[in-house]
Amino acid sequence: MECVAECTPCYLKQVISAFMAADLDQEKQRRLIKEVTKILPSIDDSKSPAENSSIVLLEAYRLMGIEDPFKKAKEQSNIMAMRLYPELKERIAKADDPLFMAIRIAAAGNIIDMGILREFNVEESISEALSTGFAISDYKQFKEILSNARRILIIGDNSGEIVFDKLLVEQLAHYVSDIVYSVKSRPILNDATMEDAVMTGMTNIAHVIENGNQYLGTVLEACSQEFLRELETADLVISKGQGNYESLEGSLLAGRKTFFLLRAKCPWVAARAGIGNMSLAFCQNAIDVSNM
């Protein structure tokens, strides 16, 4: 997915979110935002919004001299989600289709995005996911591929949200025994890292790997060989969140075996997916087979 003009204010909104998370005073925020904007002319708009957001954010991190401004917020979101875990686990167990219920709850957890949404209500997101459901759902296609799958890769997104993904992993374990979950190698925004995987117990139920970089989304050119190998060899891939959709949608490597699970938090992403803004989507990767 290429960038549009409206992406630029979003880059800066995420930078300001990082400044606020780091508790910088207004004078320092004003000074640093002027420094950050100097790199905007060099941004390549043919790259995905996720990649360009990362470039701008990492420049802000460099200028701040802070490796992880969201560290405390990430820990708090994990704690919040873990408090909800027992109730959600029980709700999944009582559902007519526990797997689909786990998918819906995992999608609801995608509301935890401290870069785009500075304020969010997880419990409201769960209620909406259960009452309104998906604007688009390729669950039937997902189940068809799952029936023959032996190895699943889940591309994680945010801290806190990783707890909801844990509920999904527990359901998928009824179908396959080999589940890989990927996290970022270094901190960016509130994206999950190995530290979050350990804190939430994801490492106890899945083989957790790092993707080799700290870009938002999945920038294939920056990923480790280990991650690329897992993506290539997995029989089924679940890609969480908007950033991963921006960077993987249409990718031949991701292929038709990849399903995007997200809340669209941008009108352009929503339009690309064919849904309304802030709607939930569970959609199969669309690729141009004529070019294969």
Side-chain angles (χ1 to χ4, degrees), residues 207-228:
H207 174 49
V208 181
I209 65 168
E210 296 178 338
N211 75 348
N213 65 80
Q214 65 184 128
Y215 283 137
L216 298 169
T218 300
V219 180
L220 294 174
E221 295 80 4
C223 288
S224 66
Q225 287 302 309
E226 179 186 21
F227 174 85
L228 294 174

Side-chain angles (χ1 to χ4, degrees), residues 30-281:
R30 288 193 298 268
R31 178 169 58 81
L32 291 185
I33 201 72
K34 291 176 182 177
E35 291 297 315
V36 170
T37 55
K38 291 178 181 179
I39 73 168
L40 293 179
S42 65
I43 292 294
D44 182 354
D45 289 334
S46 68
K47 294 181 178 179
S48 72
E51 183 171 355
N52 284 336
S53 290
S54 305
I55 292 169
V56 177
L57 269 168
L58 293 176
E59 174 66 6
Y61 280 29
R62 185 187 70 80
L63 292 167
M64 283 191 291
I66 300 175
E67 181 184 15
D68 189 3
F70 290 89
K71 183 176 177 61
K72 184 177 180 180
K74 287 158 61 180
E75 291 174 352
Q76 291 172 340
S77 67
N78 287 335
I79 292 169
M80 174 273 297
M82 286 189 288
R83 286 179 183 145
L84 296 174
Y85 173 85
E87 175 189 344
L88 295 175
K89 186 179 179 71
E90 183 178 358
R91 182 174 292 188
I92 290 169
K94 292 179 178 179
D96 292 336
D97 186 341
L99 175 60
F100 190 52
M101 177 64 76
I103 289 171
R104 292 162 73 184
I105 288 174
N110 191 232
I111 195 69
I112 306 174
D113 188 332
M114 298 173 191
I116 298 174
L117 303 175
R118 293 175 192 161
E119 296 183 2
F120 49 83
N121 188 309
V122 175
E123 295 188 53
E124 283 184 8
S125 181
I126 294 170
S127 296
E128 181 193 351
L130 299 183
S131 60
T132 305
F134 291 107
I136 181 172
S137 173
D138 289 332
Y139 184 57
K140 179 181 178 181
Q141 296 90 323
F142 176 82
K143 285 295 291 291
E144 289 174 355
I145 297 177
L146 176 61
S147 65
N148 295 309
R150 293 185 177 181
R151 189 174 182 83
I152 296 175
L153 169 65
I154 301 176
I155 303 175
D157 192 13
N158 298 320
S159 59
E161 181 181 350
I162 192 174
V163 176
F164 299 85
D165 295 346
K166 183 179 173 183
L167 290 161
L168 176 55
V169 169
E170 290 170 348
Q171 289 304 310
L172 290 170
H174 294 301
Y175 297 83
V176 299
S177 58
D178 197 352
I179 301 174
V180 179
Y181 189 91
S182 73
V183 295
K184 297 295 189 298
S185 292
R186 294 181 298 283
I188 187 162
L189 285 183
N190 64 312
D191 282 26
T193 63
M194 190 63 75
E195 185 176 356
D196 299 293
V198 171
M199 179 180 182
T200 59
M202 180 63 85
T203 51
N204 297 329
I205 62 170
H207 174 49
V208 181
I209 65 168
E210 296 178 338
N211 75 348
N213 65 80
Q214 65 184 128
Y215 283 137
L216 298 169
T218 300
V219 180
L220 294 174
E221 295 80 4
C223 288
S224 66
Q225 287 302 309
E226 179 186 21
F227 174 85
L228 294 174
R229 185 168 55 252
E230 293 291 349
L231 179 58
E232 183 177 6
T233 60
D235 301 307
L236 179 62
V237 178
I238 300 172
S239 173
K240 292 294 305 290
Q242 181 171 290
N244 285 320
Y245 178 84
E246 291 173 358
S247 48
L248 285 178
E249 185 262 339
S251 162
L252 292 177
L253 182 60
R256 295 286 288 170
K257 66 183 180 181
T258 295
F259 289 78
F260 298 104
L261 186 58
L262 71 148
R263 181 181 292 277
K265 302 158 191 163
C266 159
W268 288 95
V269 171
R272 181 85 171 206
I275 60 176
N277 193 35
M278 295 305 295
S279 296
L280 296 172

